[in-house]
Amino acid sequence: QPCKRSCRTHTRCAADALMLVSARMLVLHMWLLAATATQRSLRAHLRPARLGRALCAAANVRPTEGEGTAAGTPTSLPGATAKERRTHVLQLCHDLRAEEAVACIQRIEHSGEPIPTFIYNSLIIACADQRALVQSLVERMWSGALRADDGTYSALVRNFVHWGDLGRAVRVLHRMREKGMVIRRRVVQPLIERLCTQGRARAAVRVLQRTEHLGVMYAAEDFAMMLEACCRAGELGHVEPLLVRLRDECDDRLPDTVLTTVERALGAARFADGSACFELARVQIGADELRCTHCDTELVQLRLSDEQRRQVRERLVERARAVDPTGLLTQSLEAIEAWLARSPPYDCVIDGPNVAYDDQNFVGGRFNYYQVEDMRQRAQAMGLRPMLVMPVKYMPSNFPQARIPNHTRRQRHAMTDLSIEELLIIEHWRQLDVVFEAELSGKDDWVWIYASLLGNGRLVVTNDEMRDHWLHLLEHRLFRRWKEAQIIRFQFARQGNVGRDGCWSINMREPRPWAHATQRAENGVWHLAAASGDG
């Protein structure tokens, strides 16, 4: 109700009410802080046994025999939550107190509470020295009483390897295959590492061969470890196949640790007479050199195969259908393929907008047709047959009133009027039939990517990194091969006036003649590329 007192008295009443509310808020805040501190203290400082006694005291229950100890708390207390019971079991597994953890799990099972699979996985890891307990869990899993995931099988393999029962470890892998599960490297790697440590190189290679068709993605460290085991055991017949898989399945450039292991392994291989089996050398090869400076072997450029290009084209078309339900993007890809089939044999594609907008982020910057034409002529001077990919919005036909958008940072969303000279350049391209006009705005990069995958693979002049597209089209290793073999980088070095009428020179960086990647020459010489350095 409104206060009927004087103005000064009314102000005092409002101030008193505000102070009362503030005091109550302060008390509530202090109470919440105290409650939070008490809860944190219980979680951080009370061990499972002390927590059990605290719960007993809170519930006014006298601890029975076994309760209040690490084995009996808090799983047997009705007041403990399911999360607290699971946390207690995980703590026991972490402390490798397997028997106590099993007792807690049995009490939870008798209460009818479901137990997550990761609890059993932790228990299997904790039971590394309790083979009988693990065997009972395995029997329950095989019977279907317990649900298993890849973490369960990984823990089983580790335990069987720890016990030296490698046959059972291999049977676990077969069990996973029968159930249609994906076998990951973390499941198989402990088995292979144990075999290599024991000097059983042939068995390790056999496991590697048996899991090859299961899609296991091994790391370079695994192949290096097996190479070292094979060289020590005298199994030299496996060296070449392992190097081939190292080249085909791992990154093109190997870490220094892997190179050191391989070098140590091959250097230790000896014939029966004690002579070295392999000649090793570390060399630095320049980017412009065509032959190895040590063995005089010609290095080659690694390009995508015909099958790989076909697969990427199909994936690109599938993504185009998903991105543009109208079908216009797919029609553009089909159109560029038909256009290239009837046109002269172009071996170079110029990303028109990328070249035109290069170094144009200044006042007065714009889509520069002169840069594109100079780039086309420069490519011709290099002995290439270039073609252009240009969006339709930059190829106007209404010459008297031609306007195009300006997408530079300083003039974004602005329009630019074209000069007579620029219109003549456009008409010149059309008369030469060297330009493909992409219909969809903003999707021209799809077109030139697709064009680079047709035929034997065309060079591309662009500074675009294409990370968004290739993430869904090709694995990183093959993507890097495509860039190193087919992408030409460029830079406009301006001289004098910085504007569209200024002078510039074009610096172009062609693909190196050989790939900075692990490769095998025709004469059988292997070159292992290092991740550090550029040669």
Side-chain angles (χ1 to χ4, degrees), residues 201-216:
R202 186 176 302 178
V205 173
R206 194 181 308 118
V207 173
L208 182 72
Q209 294 171 346
R210 290 181 178 179
T211 56
E212 181 178 0
H213 64 284
L214 300 178
V216 181

Side-chain angles (χ1 to χ4, degrees), residues 425-452:
I425 291 176
I426 295 174
E427 186 62 23
H428 180 60
W429 291 341
R430 286 176 174 153
Q431 291 179 358
L432 294 177
D433 195 23
V434 296
V435 59
F436 177 83
E437 302 180 29
E439 294 291 339
L440 281 181
S441 176
K443 296 292 190 298
D444 55 287
D445 48 352
W446 292 67
V447 176
W448 60 257
I449 290 176
Y450 191 80
S452 71

Side-chain angles (χ1 to χ4, degrees), residues 33 70 93 98 176 222 264 273 292 299 336 339 379 459 504:
L33 289 177
C93 294
M176 294 183 67
D222 302 328
R264 181 175 63 245
D273 59 356
C292 175
L299 302 175
I336 184 65
W339 188 84
L459 298 175
W504 56 74

Side-chain angles (χ1 to χ4, degrees), residues 1 45 120 126 197 202 385 435 471:
Q1 296 180 357
H45 300 290
Y120 289 107
T197 303
R202 186 176 302 178
R385 296 183 297 273
V435 59
L471 179 64

